[in-house]
Amino acid sequence: GAGVSQSPSNKVTEKGKDVELRCDPISGHTALYWYRQRLGQGLEFLIYFQGNSAPDKSGLPSDRFSAERTGESVSTLTIQRTQQEDSAVYLCASSRNRDNEQFFGPGTRLTVL
Amino acid sequence: RKEVEQDPGPFNVPEGATVAFNCTYSNSASQSFFWYRQDCRKEPKLLMSVYSSGNEDGRFTAQLNRASQYISLLIRDSKLSDSATYLCVVILGGANNLFFGTGTRLTVIP
């Protein structure tokens, strides 16, 4: 079946611009996660959605970052007024529920010039 | 103290060698454990779950030691294709707490 998909695969933007990243989870997966991974670094948790519960936003690095999810489907991660330090790969993952293994999308490579 | 800690390596081993990684976790209430593999510039992919009784999948063996609060991954008869970064994941039950280790880099040398 279809895995997690993300778009765009690559995004180059200028400092100060807003960007929107999209994640399509695996159908039926109630949990959805966003991570950031800088070059050569580990995964940095950003935000977690579980069904209709309030999202866990504890990993968002600043108020420039926000994310939404419509029901148990698509999620978008928005970064406003991008900065060069936002350059990273943004990975989305979904799982059947909280305690199950996660399946990752291919990521969006964001470069802020 | 970090929730999850891994030796970043790198581990450089010859083909055919046996290599083991550990991942320590700080919260004794942790309930679910996984090993992921991440190839260079690729997304992480699940390698195996870690069960309390230990589990084996071909050349890979995962074990959980609750008393000492660590999980381990053993790779036997290493192949060149095993070269990757291995990430451990620890999940706390009942809360939105999931923690990835920073990964252990393995390079298998011909």
Side-chain angles (χ1 to χ4, degrees), chain B residues 13-52:
Chain B
V13 303
E15 270 187 290
T18 295
V19 61
F21 314 129
N22 283 346
C23 171
T24 59
Y25 58 94
S26 61
N27 195 318
S28 59
S30 300
Q31 293 190 355
S32 301
F33 308 88
F34 304 93
W35 282 104
Y36 279 75
R37 168 192 172 128
Q38 186 173 25
D39 292 286
C40 188
R41 300 175 77 86
K42 297 286 188 181
E43 72 274 21
K45 293 188 176 177
L46 179 69
L47 179 64
M48 57 198 307
S49 304
V50 186
Y51 303 127
S52 296

mmCIF file of all heavy atoms in Angstrom, chain B residues 13-52:
data_model
loop_
_atom_site.group_PDB
_atom_site.id
_atom_site.type_symbol
_atom_site.label_atom_id
_atom_site.label_comp_id
_atom_site.label_asym_id
_atom_site.label_seq_id
_atom_site.Cartn_x
_atom_site.Cartn_y
_atom_site.Cartn_z
ATOM 1 N N VAL B 13 33.749 -1.691 11.234
ATOM 2 C CA VAL B 13 33.995 -3.120 11.434
ATOM 3 C C VAL B 13 34.209 -3.792 10.087
ATOM 4 O O VAL B 13 33.664 -3.363 9.071
ATOM 5 C CB VAL B 13 32.829 -3.788 12.186
ATOM 6 C CG1 VAL B 13 32.588 -3.112 13.536
ATOM 7 C CG2 VAL B 13 31.565 -3.797 11.360
ATOM 8 N N PRO B 14 34.987 -4.876 10.067
ATOM 9 C CA PRO B 14 35.182 -5.601 8.810
ATOM 10 C C PRO B 14 33.964 -6.464 8.500
ATOM 11 O O PRO B 14 33.203 -6.850 9.397
ATOM 12 C CB PRO B 14 36.411 -6.471 9.099
ATOM 13 C CG PRO B 14 36.389 -6.661 10.574
ATOM 14 C CD PRO B 14 35.794 -5.424 11.164
ATOM 15 N N GLU B 15 33.797 -6.751 7.236
ATOM 16 C CA GLU B 15 32.742 -7.679 6.813
ATOM 17 C C GLU B 15 32.838 -8.966 7.611
ATOM 18 O O GLU B 15 33.941 -9.482 7.846
ATOM 19 C CB GLU B 15 32.903 -8.031 5.325
ATOM 20 C CG GLU B 15 32.189 -7.121 4.384
ATOM 21 C CD GLU B 15 32.252 -7.644 2.951
ATOM 22 O OE1 GLU B 15 33.353 -7.606 2.370
ATOM 23 O OE2 GLU B 15 31.216 -8.104 2.451
ATOM 24 N N GLY B 16 31.694 -9.475 7.996
ATOM 25 C CA GLY B 16 31.661 -10.745 8.715
ATOM 26 C C GLY B 16 31.760 -10.610 10.219
ATOM 27 O O GLY B 16 31.515 -11.569 10.951
ATOM 28 N N ALA B 17 32.077 -9.403 10.681
ATOM 29 C CA ALA B 17 32.222 -9.208 12.130
ATOM 30 C C ALA B 17 30.857 -9.152 12.804
ATOM 31 O O ALA B 17 29.823 -8.948 12.166
ATOM 32 C CB ALA B 17 32.989 -7.910 12.401
ATOM 33 N N THR B 18 30.886 -9.329 14.106
ATOM 34 C CA THR B 18 29.701 -9.138 14.936
ATOM 35 C C THR B 18 29.854 -7.810 15.669
ATOM 36 O O THR B 18 30.931 -7.514 16.206
ATOM 37 C CB THR B 18 29.550 -10.276 15.952
ATOM 38 O OG1 THR B 18 29.311 -11.500 15.239
ATOM 39 C CG2 THR B 18 28.387 -10.012 16.897
ATOM 40 N N VAL B 19 28.805 -7.031 15.664
ATOM 41 C CA VAL B 19 28.865 -5.720 16.310
ATOM 42 C C VAL B 19 27.595 -5.512 17.124
ATOM 43 O O VAL B 19 26.525 -6.017 16.763
ATOM 44 C CB VAL B 19 29.041 -4.597 15.262
ATOM 45 C CG1 VAL B 19 27.871 -4.541 14.288
ATOM 46 C CG2 VAL B 19 29.271 -3.250 15.921
ATOM 47 N N ALA B 20 27.732 -4.818 18.244
ATOM 48 C CA ALA B 20 26.583 -4.573 19.110
ATOM 49 C C ALA B 20 26.536 -3.109 19.512
ATOM 50 O O ALA B 20 27.578 -2.485 19.759
ATOM 51 C CB ALA B 20 26.655 -5.466 20.349
ATOM 52 N N PHE B 21 25.315 -2.574 19.565
ATOM 53 C CA PHE B 21 25.100 -1.208 20.032
ATOM 54 C C PHE B 21 24.162 -1.249 21.222
ATOM 55 O O PHE B 21 23.246 -2.067 21.270
ATOM 56 C CB PHE B 21 24.406 -0.342 18.962
ATOM 57 C CG PHE B 21 24.962 -0.464 17.590
ATOM 58 C CD1 PHE B 21 24.140 -0.725 16.515
ATOM 59 C CD2 PHE B 21 26.317 -0.308 17.365
ATOM 60 C CE1 PHE B 21 24.642 -0.823 15.231
ATOM 61 C CE2 PHE B 21 26.829 -0.418 16.090
ATOM 62 C CZ PHE B 21 25.989 -0.677 15.022
ATOM 63 N N ASN B 22 24.357 -0.330 22.127
ATOM 64 C CA ASN B 22 23.430 -0.164 23.236
ATOM 65 C C ASN B 22 22.774 1.196 23.173
ATOM 66 O O ASN B 22 23.323 2.142 22.587
ATOM 67 C CB ASN B 22 24.169 -0.292 24.569
ATOM 68 C CG ASN B 22 24.478 -1.728 24.913
ATOM 69 O OD1 ASN B 22 23.945 -2.655 24.312
ATOM 70 N ND2 ASN B 22 25.370 -1.912 25.865
ATOM 71 N N CYS B 23 21.633 1.275 23.802
ATOM 72 C CA CYS B 23 20.913 2.531 23.906
ATOM 73 C C CYS B 23 20.342 2.571 25.320
ATOM 74 O O CYS B 23 19.580 1.680 25.698
ATOM 75 C CB CYS B 23 19.801 2.560 22.857
ATOM 76 S SG CYS B 23 18.650 3.924 23.022
ATOM 77 N N THR B 24 20.727 3.558 26.093
ATOM 78 C CA THR B 24 20.238 3.651 27.462
ATOM 79 C C THR B 24 19.095 4.654 27.542
ATOM 80 O O THR B 24 19.054 5.635 26.787
ATOM 81 C CB THR B 24 21.352 4.080 28.435
ATOM 82 O OG1 THR B 24 21.873 5.354 28.015
ATOM 83 C CG2 THR B 24 22.474 3.068 28.441
ATOM 84 N N TYR B 25 18.156 4.395 28.433
ATOM 85 C CA TYR B 25 17.038 5.311 28.610
ATOM 86 C C TYR B 25 16.898 5.632 30.090
ATOM 87 O O TYR B 25 17.252 4.839 30.954
ATOM 88 C CB TYR B 25 15.736 4.726 28.044
ATOM 89 C CG TYR B 25 15.301 3.411 28.630
ATOM 90 C CD1 TYR B 25 14.394 3.352 29.694
ATOM 91 C CD2 TYR B 25 15.785 2.212 28.117
ATOM 92 C CE1 TYR B 25 13.990 2.148 30.229
ATOM 93 C CE2 TYR B 25 15.380 0.996 28.644
ATOM 94 C CZ TYR B 25 14.482 0.974 29.703
ATOM 95 O OH TYR B 25 14.097 -0.229 30.233
ATOM 96 N N SER B 26 16.364 6.807 30.369
ATOM 97 C CA SER B 26 16.400 7.299 31.752
ATOM 98 C C SER B 26 15.112 7.042 32.523
ATOM 99 O O SER B 26 15.132 7.005 33.753
ATOM 100 C CB SER B 26 16.701 8.801 31.761
ATOM 101 O OG SER B 26 15.689 9.509 31.067
ATOM 102 N N ASN B 27 13.993 6.844 31.805
ATOM 103 C CA ASN B 27 12.717 6.716 32.498
ATOM 104 C C ASN B 27 12.295 5.259 32.599
ATOM 105 O O ASN B 27 12.039 4.605 31.585
ATOM 106 C CB ASN B 27 11.651 7.533 31.758
ATOM 107 C CG ASN B 27 10.401 7.749 32.598
ATOM 108 O OD1 ASN B 27 9.932 6.833 33.274
ATOM 109 N ND2 ASN B 27 9.865 8.956 32.565
ATOM 110 N N SER B 28 12.202 4.769 33.819
ATOM 111 C CA SER B 28 11.870 3.357 34.018
ATOM 112 C C SER B 28 10.448 3.025 33.588
ATOM 113 O O SER B 28 10.100 1.855 33.453
ATOM 114 C CB SER B 28 12.057 2.976 35.500
ATOM 115 O OG SER B 28 11.222 3.783 36.320
ATOM 116 N N ALA B 29 9.611 4.046 33.360
ATOM 117 C CA ALA B 29 8.236 3.805 32.914
ATOM 118 C C ALA B 29 8.136 3.601 31.405
ATOM 119 O O ALA B 29 7.051 3.403 30.873
ATOM 120 C CB ALA B 29 7.345 4.976 33.333
ATOM 121 N N SER B 30 9.261 3.645 30.728
ATOM 122 C CA SER B 30 9.250 3.453 29.272
ATOM 123 C C SER B 30 8.639 2.112 28.933
ATOM 124 O O SER B 30 8.910 1.100 29.594
ATOM 125 C CB SER B 30 10.674 3.542 28.713
ATOM 126 O OG SER B 30 11.243 4.809 28.994
ATOM 127 N N GLN B 31 7.824 2.100 27.869
ATOM 128 C CA GLN B 31 7.059 0.892 27.592
ATOM 129 C C GLN B 31 7.328 0.246 26.240
ATOM 130 O O GLN B 31 7.192 -0.957 26.095
ATOM 131 C CB GLN B 31 5.569 1.209 27.705
ATOM 132 C CG GLN B 31 5.136 1.557 29.117
ATOM 133 C CD GLN B 31 3.635 1.623 29.256
ATOM 134 O OE1 GLN B 31 2.902 1.492 28.277
ATOM 135 N NE2 GLN B 31 3.151 1.841 30.462
ATOM 136 N N SER B 32 7.642 1.054 25.251
ATOM 137 C CA SER B 32 7.844 0.505 23.904
ATOM 138 C C SER B 32 9.207 0.925 23.389
ATOM 139 O O SER B 32 9.660 2.041 23.642
ATOM 140 C CB SER B 32 6.757 1.001 22.941
ATOM 141 O OG SER B 32 5.475 0.634 23.391
ATOM 142 N N PHE B 33 9.804 -0.003 22.651
ATOM 143 C CA PHE B 33 11.182 0.231 22.204
ATOM 144 C C PHE B 33 11.340 -0.260 20.770
ATOM 145 O O PHE B 33 10.788 -1.309 20.397
ATOM 146 C CB PHE B 33 12.164 -0.538 23.099
ATOM 147 C CG PHE B 33 11.977 -0.277 24.566
ATOM 148 C CD1 PHE B 33 11.082 -1.043 25.307
ATOM 149 C CD2 PHE B 33 12.696 0.719 25.204
ATOM 150 C CE1 PHE B 33 10.896 -0.801 26.658
ATOM 151 C CE2 PHE B 33 12.516 0.968 26.559
ATOM 152 C CZ PHE B 33 11.615 0.207 27.286
ATOM 153 N N PHE B 34 12.092 0.495 19.985
ATOM 154 C CA PHE B 34 12.292 0.134 18.582
ATOM 155 C C PHE B 34 13.709 0.463 18.161
ATOM 156 O O PHE B 34 14.335 1.380 18.711
ATOM 157 C CB PHE B 34 11.332 0.912 17.665
ATOM 158 C CG PHE B 34 9.876 0.764 18.006
ATOM 159 C CD1 PHE B 34 9.246 1.683 18.836
ATOM 160 C CD2 PHE B 34 9.144 -0.290 17.504
ATOM 161 C CE1 PHE B 34 7.914 1.550 19.161
ATOM 162 C CE2 PHE B 34 7.796 -0.428 17.819
ATOM 163 C CZ PHE B 34 7.187 0.497 18.644
ATOM 164 N N TRP B 35 14.188 -0.236 17.149
ATOM 165 C CA TRP B 35 15.405 0.144 16.447
ATOM 166 C C TRP B 35 15.032 0.540 15.019
ATOM 167 O O TRP B 35 14.296 -0.190 14.345
ATOM 168 C CB TRP B 35 16.403 -1.012 16.403
ATOM 169 C CG TRP B 35 17.162 -1.213 17.683
ATOM 170 C CD1 TRP B 35 16.950 -2.185 18.617
ATOM 171 C CD2 TRP B 35 18.263 -0.433 18.153
ATOM 172 N NE1 TRP B 35 17.845 -2.043 19.644
ATOM 173 C CE2 TRP B 35 18.654 -0.979 19.392
ATOM 174 C CE3 TRP B 35 18.954 0.676 17.656
ATOM 175 C CZ2 TRP B 35 19.718 -0.458 20.138
ATOM 176 C CZ3 TRP B 35 20.006 1.194 18.393
ATOM 177 C CH2 TRP B 35 20.377 0.636 19.618
ATOM 178 N N TYR B 36 15.560 1.688 14.605
ATOM 179 C CA TYR B 36 15.380 2.152 13.236
ATOM 180 C C TYR B 36 16.741 2.211 12.573
ATOM 181 O O TYR B 36 17.772 2.382 13.226
ATOM 182 C CB TYR B 36 14.760 3.557 13.205
ATOM 183 C CG TYR B 36 13.272 3.582 13.392
ATOM 184 C CD1 TYR B 36 12.705 3.367 14.644
ATOM 185 C CD2 TYR B 36 12.417 3.814 12.329
ATOM 186 C CE1 TYR B 36 11.336 3.388 14.821
ATOM 187 C CE2 TYR B 36 11.045 3.846 12.484
ATOM 188 C CZ TYR B 36 10.515 3.628 13.738
ATOM 189 O OH TYR B 36 9.157 3.655 13.900
ATOM 190 N N ARG B 37 16.703 2.132 11.250
ATOM 191 C CA ARG B 37 17.917 2.285 10.459
ATOM 192 C C ARG B 37 17.726 3.502 9.555
ATOM 193 O O ARG B 37 16.647 3.691 8.979
ATOM 194 C CB ARG B 37 18.100 1.027 9.616
ATOM 195 C CG ARG B 37 19.152 1.166 8.556
ATOM 196 C CD ARG B 37 19.105 0.028 7.565
ATOM 197 N NE ARG B 37 20.006 0.332 6.471
ATOM 198 C CZ ARG B 37 20.951 -0.481 6.026
ATOM 199 N NH1 ARG B 37 21.099 -1.688 6.567
ATOM 200 N NH2 ARG B 37 21.744 -0.111 5.031
ATOM 201 N N GLN B 38 18.775 4.319 9.454
ATOM 202 C CA GLN B 38 18.704 5.471 8.558
ATOM 203 C C GLN B 38 19.930 5.482 7.672
ATOM 204 O O GLN B 38 21.066 5.588 8.163
ATOM 205 C CB GLN B 38 18.588 6.792 9.329
ATOM 206 C CG GLN B 38 18.369 7.988 8.411
ATOM 207 C CD GLN B 38 18.078 9.280 9.148
ATOM 208 O OE1 GLN B 38 18.469 9.447 10.306
ATOM 209 N NE2 GLN B 38 17.367 10.197 8.508
ATOM 210 N N ASP B 39 19.701 5.376 6.374
ATOM 211 C CA ASP B 39 20.783 5.494 5.414
ATOM 212 C C ASP B 39 21.021 6.967 5.133
ATOM 213 O O ASP B 39 20.144 7.822 5.323
ATOM 214 C CB ASP B 39 20.436 4.742 4.128
ATOM 215 C CG ASP B 39 20.403 3.253 4.368
ATOM 216 O OD1 ASP B 39 21.482 2.655 4.502
ATOM 217 O OD2 ASP B 39 19.302 2.688 4.464
ATOM 218 N N CYS B 40 22.221 7.255 4.611
ATOM 219 C CA CYS B 40 22.618 8.638 4.372
ATOM 220 C C CYS B 40 21.594 9.359 3.491
ATOM 221 O O CYS B 40 21.232 8.862 2.420
ATOM 222 C CB CYS B 40 24.001 8.670 3.725
ATOM 223 S SG CYS B 40 24.704 10.309 3.594
ATOM 224 N N ARG B 41 21.106 10.486 3.950
ATOM 225 C CA ARG B 41 20.182 11.335 3.214
ATOM 226 C C ARG B 41 18.851 10.631 2.892
ATOM 227 O O ARG B 41 18.170 10.968 1.933
ATOM 228 C CB ARG B 41 20.832 11.861 1.939
ATOM 229 C CG ARG B 41 22.080 12.686 2.227
ATOM 230 C CD ARG B 41 22.776 13.104 0.938
ATOM 231 N NE ARG B 41 22.103 14.213 0.285
ATOM 232 C CZ ARG B 41 22.324 15.490 0.578
ATOM 233 N NH1 ARG B 41 23.181 15.828 1.522
ATOM 234 N NH2 ARG B 41 21.691 16.447 -0.079
ATOM 235 N N LYS B 42 18.508 9.644 3.719
ATOM 236 C CA LYS B 42 17.226 8.962 3.569
ATOM 237 C C LYS B 42 16.448 9.067 4.879
ATOM 238 O O LYS B 42 17.007 9.438 5.909
ATOM 239 C CB LYS B 42 17.451 7.474 3.239
ATOM 240 C CG LYS B 42 18.154 7.231 1.929
ATOM 241 C CD LYS B 42 17.228 7.477 0.757
ATOM 242 C CE LYS B 42 17.884 7.031 -0.534
ATOM 243 N NZ LYS B 42 17.003 7.277 -1.703
ATOM 244 N N GLU B 43 15.160 8.701 4.809
ATOM 245 C CA GLU B 43 14.368 8.722 6.025
ATOM 246 C C GLU B 43 14.636 7.484 6.864
ATOM 247 O O GLU B 43 15.033 6.441 6.344
ATOM 248 C CB GLU B 43 12.867 8.821 5.682
ATOM 249 C CG GLU B 43 12.242 7.566 5.093
ATOM 250 C CD GLU B 43 12.400 7.477 3.594
ATOM 251 O OE1 GLU B 43 13.296 8.138 3.017
ATOM 252 O OE2 GLU B 43 11.614 6.717 2.994
ATOM 253 N N PRO B 44 14.390 7.549 8.185
ATOM 254 C CA PRO B 44 14.542 6.364 9.028
ATOM 255 C C PRO B 44 13.523 5.299 8.647
ATOM 256 O O PRO B 44 12.393 5.605 8.267
ATOM 257 C CB PRO B 44 14.255 6.886 10.441
ATOM 258 C CG PRO B 44 14.413 8.361 10.357
ATOM 259 C CD PRO B 44 14.014 8.733 8.962
ATOM 260 N N LYS B 45 13.932 4.056 8.761
ATOM 261 C CA LYS B 45 13.015 2.937 8.499
ATOM 262 C C LYS B 45 13.102 1.956 9.656
ATOM 263 O O LYS B 45 14.185 1.684 10.164
ATOM 264 C CB LYS B 45 13.354 2.255 7.173
ATOM 265 C CG LYS B 45 13.092 3.157 5.974
ATOM 266 C CD LYS B 45 13.238 2.435 4.665
ATOM 267 C CE LYS B 45 12.875 3.378 3.517
ATOM 268 N NZ LYS B 45 13.049 2.768 2.204
ATOM 269 N N LEU B 46 11.938 1.424 10.026
ATOM 270 C CA LEU B 46 11.902 0.493 11.146
ATOM 271 C C LEU B 46 12.737 -0.742 10.837
ATOM 272 O O LEU B 46 12.573 -1.378 9.795
ATOM 273 C CB LEU B 46 10.460 0.084 11.437
ATOM 274 C CG LEU B 46 10.299 -0.919 12.570
ATOM 275 C CD1 LEU B 46 10.634 -0.253 13.901
ATOM 276 C CD2 LEU B 46 8.886 -1.489 12.593
ATOM 277 N N LEU B 47 13.617 -1.069 11.747
ATOM 278 C CA LEU B 47 14.411 -2.292 11.633
ATOM 279 C C LEU B 47 13.723 -3.403 12.421
ATOM 280 O O LEU B 47 13.458 -4.474 11.890
ATOM 281 C CB LEU B 47 15.830 -2.041 12.170
ATOM 282 C CG LEU B 47 16.788 -3.213 12.146
ATOM 283 C CD1 LEU B 47 17.059 -3.654 10.712
ATOM 284 C CD2 LEU B 47 18.095 -2.854 12.839
ATOM 285 N N MET B 48 13.451 -3.153 13.672
ATOM 286 C CA MET B 48 12.736 -4.136 14.478
ATOM 287 C C MET B 48 12.236 -3.520 15.781
ATOM 288 O O MET B 48 12.798 -2.573 16.294
ATOM 289 C CB MET B 48 13.610 -5.361 14.767
ATOM 290 C CG MET B 48 14.915 -5.091 15.451
ATOM 291 S SD MET B 48 16.107 -6.467 15.300
ATOM 292 C CE MET B 48 15.184 -7.872 15.876
ATOM 293 N N SER B 49 11.143 -4.081 16.254
ATOM 294 C CA SER B 49 10.664 -3.749 17.589
ATOM 295 C C SER B 49 11.502 -4.527 18.595
ATOM 296 O O SER B 49 12.146 -5.519 18.241
ATOM 297 C CB SER B 49 9.200 -4.136 17.736
ATOM 298 O OG SER B 49 8.425 -3.514 16.741
ATOM 299 N N VAL B 50 11.495 -4.078 19.835
ATOM 300 C CA VAL B 50 12.243 -4.760 20.882
ATOM 301 C C VAL B 50 11.261 -5.275 21.912
ATOM 302 O O VAL B 50 10.542 -4.487 22.539
ATOM 303 C CB VAL B 50 13.258 -3.822 21.552
ATOM 304 C CG1 VAL B 50 14.126 -4.604 22.542
ATOM 305 C CG2 VAL B 50 14.138 -3.125 20.518
ATOM 306 N N TYR B 51 11.203 -6.573 22.081
ATOM 307 C CA TYR B 51 10.266 -7.175 23.009
ATOM 308 C C TYR B 51 10.978 -7.538 24.308
ATOM 309 O O TYR B 51 12.184 -7.765 24.332
ATOM 310 C CB TYR B 51 9.622 -8.406 22.391
ATOM 311 C CG TYR B 51 8.923 -8.122 21.090
ATOM 312 C CD1 TYR B 51 9.218 -8.868 19.945
ATOM 313 C CD2 TYR B 51 7.981 -7.103 20.985
ATOM 314 C CE1 TYR B 51 8.590 -8.599 18.739
ATOM 315 C CE2 TYR B 51 7.355 -6.831 19.784
ATOM 316 C CZ TYR B 51 7.662 -7.582 18.675
ATOM 317 O OH TYR B 51 7.044 -7.311 17.484
ATOM 318 N N SER B 52 10.200 -7.640 25.358
ATOM 319 C CA SER B 52 10.776 -7.914 26.674
ATOM 320 C C SER B 52 11.584 -9.199 26.697
ATOM 321 O O SER B 52 12.600 -9.297 27.386
ATOM 322 C CB SER B 52 9.667 -7.996 27.725
ATOM 323 O OG SER B 52 9.002 -6.768 27.855
#
